[in-house]
Amino acid sequence: VYPDFIIVGGMRSGSSSVRDFLSKHKDTTVLNHEGNYFNVIENYQKGKEWYKKQFTKKGGTDVTFWGEKTVDYSLFPDIPQKIYKFNPGVKLIWIFRNPTDRTYSNYLHEFRIGNERFSFKYALKNEDKRIITNPYYGYKKRSIYHEQVERFLDYFTLDQMHFIVFEEMIKNWVSEMNALLEFLELERFVDERPVFVNKTV
């Protein structure tokens, strides 16, 4: 049953860099885009076989682990149960960033792509009202990590979760990635340090 591992959070915390790192491993196949299966109703209604077809095996190699990254999986309360029903043994990867930095980076991202037109101050002041109609305006809420983890702990154990701190990952890329590979029970390999665009925003 796959995916064997999912990067479930958090947004604007280096999750794409971790996904790209794992995709280079000889024993993994990782979606090069967000899967958006469990959180997008149109995709979920297409069923398990449709989801599995999104994963393509590396040419001629024996793949040990299959994985994907969709940071919105940590946003919606019904996602943990959906993932559990699909694969109760899945391994979950979390990446946490300084909450203030992550919140502002999240806002800037939405502003730059045209999804946000108000000031940061206005967005924070009115967040509780705005997320009723659009959960993606929950910049502060997405930085309350314990709420997200607790939802997943209703279905998964801590042993199935691996936690990475964004700031530590920037400083100690090799050791942090080796710890991740150990968690996934994958062979260590040398990889160049990535460029973290998030650390400047």
Side-chain angles (χ1 to χ4, degrees):
V1 178
Y2 49 85
D4 299 291
F5 65 88
I6 304 175
I7 302 171
V8 293
M11 185 182 184
R12 309 301 293 170
S13 301
S15 56
S16 294
S17 296
V18 174
R19 177 197 62 199
D20 293 346
F21 167 78
L22 290 173
S23 71
K24 296 175 185 176
H25 197 286
K26 64 182 179 63
D27 294 327
T28 66
T29 288
V30 185
L31 291 186
N32 61 7
H33 58 277
E34 300 222 345
N36 287 314
Y37 174 65
F38 299 102
N39 61 312
V40 176
I41 188 64
E42 293 83 2
N43 291 339
Y44 193 69
Q45 288 174 342
K46 294 175 183 176
K48 294 181 179 180
E49 293 309 310
W50 176 87
Y51 181 44
K52 290 181 178 180
K53 286 178 182 176
Q54 306 309 303
F55 296 85
T56 9
K57 195 171 184 179
K58 288 181 179 176
T61 62
D62 293 326
V63 175
T64 303
F65 260 50
W66 305 71
E68 70 130 315
K69 175 203 84 145
T70 300
V71 292
D72 282 351
Y73 289 165
S74 62
L75 179 60
F76 299 102
D78 62 330
I79 301 298
Q81 183 180 28
K82 288 181 177 178
I83 295 176
Y84 181 81
K85 286 182 177 179
F86 193 96
N87 181 8
V90 71
K91 294 192 173 187
L92 304 167
I93 300 167
W94 298 87
I95 310 167
F96 298 143
R97 183 181 183 183
N98 175 289
T100 302
D101 294 340
R102 198 224 64 83
T103 298
Y104 186 57
S105 181
N106 191 170
Y107 163 81
L108 276 183
H109 173 73
E110 296 300 322
F111 188 84
R112 287 168 179 165
I113 65 176
N115 291 340
E116 176 62 80
R117 60 190 180 92
F118 292 104
S119 69
F120 184 53
K121 181 178 180 180
Y122 177 93
L124 294 189
K125 185 177 180 180
N126 295 277
E127 179 170 312
D128 290 344
K129 292 184 292 185
R130 299 177 81 206
I131 60 175
I132 294 172
T133 54
N134 188 340
Y136 291 98
Y137 288 141
Y139 309 128
K140 288 186 298 183
K141 191 165 185 61
R142 290 186 80 147
S143 296
I144 304 175
Y145 305 128
H146 74 89
E147 290 183 353
Q148 300 161 37
V149 174
E150 285 170 1
R151 288 199 294 263
F152 277 82
L153 283 173
D154 287 339
Y155 297 92
F156 303 98
T157 66
L158 273 176
D159 291 341
Q160 291 176 261
M161 301 184 189
H162 183 75
F163 301 92
I164 300 170
V165 176
F166 174 74
E167 290 77 13
E168 286 299 315
M169 182 170 65
I170 290 176
K171 290 190 294 185
N172 304 297
W173 172 256
V174 174
S175 61
E176 289 294 324
M177 292 303 99
N178 280 336
L180 174 59
L181 293 175
E182 183 177 346
F183 166 71
L184 295 175
E185 299 180 73
L186 291 170
E187 181 182 340
R188 293 184 179 187
F189 77 105
V190 178
D191 181 62
E192 293 182 3
R193 183 185 180 90
V195 176
F196 290 97
V197 293
N198 281 355
K199 70 178 180 179
T200 59
V201 295

PDB file of all heavy atoms in Angstrom, residues 99-111:
ATOM      1  N   PRO A  99       6.929  30.255  14.264  1.00  0.00           N
ATOM      2  CA  PRO A  99       5.542  30.570  13.903  1.00  0.00           C
ATOM      3  C   PRO A  99       5.332  31.965  13.319  1.00  0.00           C
ATOM      4  O   PRO A  99       4.551  32.142  12.389  1.00  0.00           O
ATOM      5  CB  PRO A  99       4.793  30.410  15.230  1.00  0.00           C
ATOM      6  CG  PRO A  99       5.620  29.458  16.016  1.00  0.00           C
ATOM      7  CD  PRO A  99       7.037  29.770  15.655  1.00  0.00           C
ATOM      8  N   THR A 100       6.038  32.963  13.864  1.00  0.00           N
ATOM      9  CA  THR A 100       5.884  34.320  13.344  1.00  0.00           C
ATOM     10  C   THR A 100       6.391  34.421  11.916  1.00  0.00           C
ATOM     11  O   THR A 100       5.731  34.989  11.035  1.00  0.00           O
ATOM     12  CB  THR A 100       6.636  35.333  14.232  1.00  0.00           C
ATOM     13  OG1 THR A 100       6.141  35.239  15.576  1.00  0.00           O
ATOM     14  CG2 THR A 100       6.450  36.748  13.725  1.00  0.00           C
ATOM     15  N   ASP A 101       7.572  33.857  11.660  1.00  0.00           N
ATOM     16  CA  ASP A 101       8.146  33.883  10.313  1.00  0.00           C
ATOM     17  C   ASP A 101       7.273  33.113   9.331  1.00  0.00           C
ATOM     18  O   ASP A 101       7.071  33.541   8.191  1.00  0.00           O
ATOM     19  CB  ASP A 101       9.557  33.287  10.323  1.00  0.00           C
ATOM     20  CG  ASP A 101      10.536  34.128  11.120  1.00  0.00           C
ATOM     21  OD1 ASP A 101      10.239  35.323  11.336  1.00  0.00           O
ATOM     22  OD2 ASP A 101      11.586  33.597  11.520  1.00  0.00           O
ATOM     23  N   ARG A 102       6.777  31.960   9.778  1.00  0.00           N
ATOM     24  CA  ARG A 102       5.951  31.154   8.887  1.00  0.00           C
ATOM     25  C   ARG A 102       4.649  31.861   8.538  1.00  0.00           C
ATOM     26  O   ARG A 102       4.197  31.852   7.392  1.00  0.00           O
ATOM     27  CB  ARG A 102       5.647  29.799   9.538  1.00  0.00           C
ATOM     28  CG  ARG A 102       5.178  28.723   8.564  1.00  0.00           C
ATOM     29  CD  ARG A 102       3.992  27.937   9.090  1.00  0.00           C
ATOM     30  NE  ARG A 102       2.823  28.758   9.256  1.00  0.00           N
ATOM     31  CZ  ARG A 102       1.991  29.062   8.252  1.00  0.00           C
ATOM     32  NH1 ARG A 102       2.204  28.608   7.029  1.00  0.00           N
ATOM     33  NH2 ARG A 102       0.934  29.835   8.477  1.00  0.00           N
ATOM     34  N   THR A 103       4.044  32.497   9.544  1.00  0.00           N
ATOM     35  CA  THR A 103       2.783  33.200   9.339  1.00  0.00           C
ATOM     36  C   THR A 103       2.941  34.316   8.312  1.00  0.00           C
ATOM     37  O   THR A 103       2.134  34.454   7.382  1.00  0.00           O
ATOM     38  CB  THR A 103       2.270  33.782  10.672  1.00  0.00           C
ATOM     39  OG1 THR A 103       2.032  32.703  11.582  1.00  0.00           O
ATOM     40  CG2 THR A 103       0.993  34.573  10.481  1.00  0.00           C
ATOM     41  N   TYR A 104       3.992  35.113   8.469  1.00  0.00           N
ATOM     42  CA  TYR A 104       4.211  36.225   7.538  1.00  0.00           C
ATOM     43  C   TYR A 104       4.557  35.714   6.144  1.00  0.00           C
ATOM     44  O   TYR A 104       4.075  36.260   5.134  1.00  0.00           O
ATOM     45  CB  TYR A 104       5.318  37.137   8.060  1.00  0.00           C
ATOM     46  CG  TYR A 104       5.499  38.382   7.216  1.00  0.00           C
ATOM     47  CD1 TYR A 104       4.435  39.258   7.000  1.00  0.00           C
ATOM     48  CD2 TYR A 104       6.728  38.674   6.630  1.00  0.00           C
ATOM     49  CE1 TYR A 104       4.587  40.397   6.227  1.00  0.00           C
ATOM     50  CE2 TYR A 104       6.889  39.817   5.855  1.00  0.00           C
ATOM     51  CZ  TYR A 104       5.816  40.673   5.646  1.00  0.00           C
ATOM     52  OH  TYR A 104       5.972  41.795   4.873  1.00  0.00           O
ATOM     53  N   SER A 105       5.357  34.675   6.061  1.00  0.00           N
ATOM     54  CA  SER A 105       5.710  34.100   4.766  1.00  0.00           C
ATOM     55  C   SER A 105       4.473  33.560   4.056  1.00  0.00           C
ATOM     56  O   SER A 105       4.324  33.704   2.837  1.00  0.00           O
ATOM     57  CB  SER A 105       6.741  32.979   4.946  1.00  0.00           C
ATOM     58  OG  SER A 105       7.106  32.422   3.711  1.00  0.00           O
ATOM     59  N   ASN A 106       3.589  32.945   4.814  1.00  0.00           N
ATOM     60  CA  ASN A 106       2.332  32.424   4.268  1.00  0.00           C
ATOM     61  C   ASN A 106       1.495  33.567   3.682  1.00  0.00           C
ATOM     62  O   ASN A 106       0.964  33.486   2.559  1.00  0.00           O
ATOM     63  CB  ASN A 106       1.578  31.723   5.391  1.00  0.00           C
ATOM     64  CG  ASN A 106       0.393  30.909   4.929  1.00  0.00           C
ATOM     65  OD1 ASN A 106      -0.186  30.147   5.701  1.00  0.00           O
ATOM     66  ND2 ASN A 106      -0.037  31.037   3.679  1.00  0.00           N
ATOM     67  N   TYR A 107       1.387  34.653   4.451  1.00  0.00           N
ATOM     68  CA  TYR A 107       0.642  35.827   3.979  1.00  0.00           C
ATOM     69  C   TYR A 107       1.264  36.383   2.698  1.00  0.00           C
ATOM     70  O   TYR A 107       0.557  36.662   1.716  1.00  0.00           O
ATOM     71  CB  TYR A 107       0.614  36.903   5.064  1.00  0.00           C
ATOM     72  CG  TYR A 107       0.230  38.262   4.537  1.00  0.00           C
ATOM     73  CD1 TYR A 107      -1.108  38.604   4.323  1.00  0.00           C
ATOM     74  CD2 TYR A 107       1.209  39.193   4.208  1.00  0.00           C
ATOM     75  CE1 TYR A 107      -1.452  39.839   3.808  1.00  0.00           C
ATOM     76  CE2 TYR A 107       0.878  40.438   3.693  1.00  0.00           C
ATOM     77  CZ  TYR A 107      -0.454  40.758   3.489  1.00  0.00           C
ATOM     78  OH  TYR A 107      -0.795  41.982   2.968  1.00  0.00           O
ATOM     79  N   LEU A 108       2.588  36.561   2.697  1.00  0.00           N
ATOM     80  CA  LEU A 108       3.262  37.109   1.515  1.00  0.00           C
ATOM     81  C   LEU A 108       3.035  36.249   0.283  1.00  0.00           C
ATOM     82  O   LEU A 108       2.830  36.759  -0.817  1.00  0.00           O
ATOM     83  CB  LEU A 108       4.769  37.226   1.784  1.00  0.00           C
ATOM     84  CG  LEU A 108       5.273  38.462   2.511  1.00  0.00           C
ATOM     85  CD1 LEU A 108       6.791  38.409   2.599  1.00  0.00           C
ATOM     86  CD2 LEU A 108       4.825  39.748   1.821  1.00  0.00           C
ATOM     87  N   HIS A 109       3.080  34.947   0.472  1.00  0.00           N
ATOM     88  CA  HIS A 109       2.863  34.029  -0.638  1.00  0.00           C
ATOM     89  C   HIS A 109       1.477  34.243  -1.247  1.00  0.00           C
ATOM     90  O   HIS A 109       1.341  34.354  -2.478  1.00  0.00           O
ATOM     91  CB  HIS A 109       3.014  32.582  -0.158  1.00  0.00           C
ATOM     92  CG  HIS A 109       2.661  31.559  -1.179  1.00  0.00           C
ATOM     93  ND1 HIS A 109       3.457  31.280  -2.268  1.00  0.00           N
ATOM     94  CD2 HIS A 109       1.570  30.739  -1.292  1.00  0.00           C
ATOM     95  CE1 HIS A 109       2.886  30.342  -3.006  1.00  0.00           C
ATOM     96  NE2 HIS A 109       1.745  30.007  -2.434  1.00  0.00           N
ATOM     97  N   GLU A 110       0.463  34.297  -0.403  1.00  0.00           N
ATOM     98  CA  GLU A 110      -0.899  34.484  -0.897  1.00  0.00           C
ATOM     99  C   GLU A 110      -1.068  35.859  -1.548  1.00  0.00           C
ATOM    100  O   GLU A 110      -1.777  35.992  -2.556  1.00  0.00           O
ATOM    101  CB  GLU A 110      -1.903  34.314   0.244  1.00  0.00           C
ATOM    102  CG  GLU A 110      -1.933  32.926   0.859  1.00  0.00           C
ATOM    103  CD  GLU A 110      -2.299  31.847  -0.155  1.00  0.00           C
ATOM    104  OE1 GLU A 110      -3.167  32.103  -1.018  1.00  0.00           O
ATOM    105  OE2 GLU A 110      -1.711  30.756  -0.086  1.00  0.00           O
ATOM    106  N   PHE A 111      -0.396  36.865  -0.987  1.00  0.00           N
ATOM    107  CA  PHE A 111      -0.479  38.208  -1.555  1.00  0.00           C
ATOM    108  C   PHE A 111       0.163  38.249  -2.944  1.00  0.00           C
ATOM    109  O   PHE A 111      -0.387  38.833  -3.879  1.00  0.00           O
ATOM    110  CB  PHE A 111       0.204  39.209  -0.617  1.00  0.00           C
ATOM    111  CG  PHE A 111       0.022  40.653  -1.012  1.00  0.00           C
ATOM    112  CD1 PHE A 111      -1.115  41.344  -0.629  1.00  0.00           C
ATOM    113  CD2 PHE A 111       0.979  41.308  -1.777  1.00  0.00           C
ATOM    114  CE1 PHE A 111      -1.300  42.681  -1.007  1.00  0.00           C
ATOM    115  CE2 PHE A 111       0.807  42.629  -2.155  1.00  0.00           C
ATOM    116  CZ  PHE A 111      -0.330  43.323  -1.769  1.00  0.00           C
TER     117      PHE A 111
END
